[in-house]
Amino acid sequence: MARYFDVHPDNPQQRTIRQVADSIREGALVAYPTDSCYALGCRLGSRDGIERIRTIRHLDDRHHFTLVCENFAQLGQFVRVDKDVYRTIKAATPGSYTFILPATKEVPRRLLHPKKKTVGVRIPDHTVTQALLAELGEPLLSSTLLLPDEDEPLTQGWEIKERLDHVVDAVVDSGDCGTEPTTVIDFSEGEPEIVRRGAGDTSRFE
């Protein structure tokens, strides 16, 4: 059964956040809220977590996983960003965007797109997620909590607990999330390509 953590949306209880972070360090797969919608997350190096996300979402090896980062300094450890792209991304973060960029050697090979050697990165604008990332001290490996054959992500913590009780280890509930996933912008070729229109405004990339 998944542990259920009820977290205040504006003032996350530090003790609870620490418990969630400790469980992630120990290999837990968690469902957690973001500024777009709920996501599945695990530790960056967790092979088991990656495979469990693939199983829950029915993903193939071409799926871009996302590294959810606390800040730009952390993001820069895992992707290569030139000056022009840096300025563009910096202006849009934190926010509901995922950026696809060439990965550095810090990213485990199994997370990379098999042909492009790219990975998704993002910096969320969400108090609870930021508190968790600060306590964890490293990115969360994540994927939108969108179940197979469903059009919209799950938005309620209690519903996630009911439906995924035996396939995730913890659910972090800080209230209702949105239903729109992030806007995905591919910068791997230098120029922005809008891959998915979502919660983030695309006008600055058009």
Side-chain angles (χ1 to χ4, degrees), residues 49-195:
I50 295 166
E51 293 309 314
R52 289 167 69 189
I53 292 172
R54 288 191 194 279
T55 300
I56 292 168
R57 292 204 53 202
H58 295 183
L59 301 173
D60 61 27
D61 64 359
R62 293 184 301 276
H63 176 74
H64 266 112
F65 282 98
T66 299
L67 303 183
V68 178
C69 301
E70 180 187 0
N71 51 40
F72 216 94
Q74 192 177 73
L75 181 149
Q77 298 175 38
F78 297 94
V79 289
R80 297 196 304 275
V81 188
D82 67 27
K83 287 182 180 179
D84 290 339
V85 173
Y86 172 90
R87 283 193 292 268
T88 304
I89 293 177
K90 184 78 170 173
T93 54
S96 300
Y97 298 95
T98 298
F99 300 102
I100 297 172
L101 290 158
T104 67
K105 292 181 180 179
E106 299 294 320
V107 181
R109 183 174 295 181
R110 60 183 172 273
L111 298 184
L112 303 179
H113 187 284
K115 292 183 179 179
K116 294 183 175 183
K117 307 305 180 192
T118 50
V119 70
V121 287
R122 91 181 200 86
I123 302 171
D125 185 14
H126 191 280
T127 302
V128 173
T129 316
Q130 282 289 339
L132 180 56
L133 291 168
E135 178 65 34
L136 194 60
E138 62 183 63
L140 267 172
L141 170 66
S142 290
S143 184
T144 302
L145 211 175
L146 180 62
L147 298 180
D149 303 320
E150 296 195 9
D151 295 328
E152 292 189 342
L154 298 176
T155 63
Q156 300 282 351
W158 62 265
E159 182 185 14
I160 294 168
K161 167 82 165 115
E162 280 188 357
R163 295 186 59 182
L164 301 182
D165 203 21
H166 298 291
V167 293
V168 301
D169 301 305
V171 176
V172 180
D173 188 351
S174 64
D176 192 15
C177 268
T179 58
E180 269 195 298
T182 57
T183 290
V184 179
I185 310 293
D186 188 342
F187 272 109
S188 60
E189 302 297 329
E191 293 298 320
E193 177 190 348
I194 300 170
V195 176

Side-chain angles (χ1 to χ4, degrees), residues 15-27:
R15 180 173 176 273
T16 304
I17 292 295
R18 190 175 300 116
Q19 288 176 322
V20 177
D22 286 344
S23 68
I24 292 169
R25 291 189 191 100
E26 292 165 4

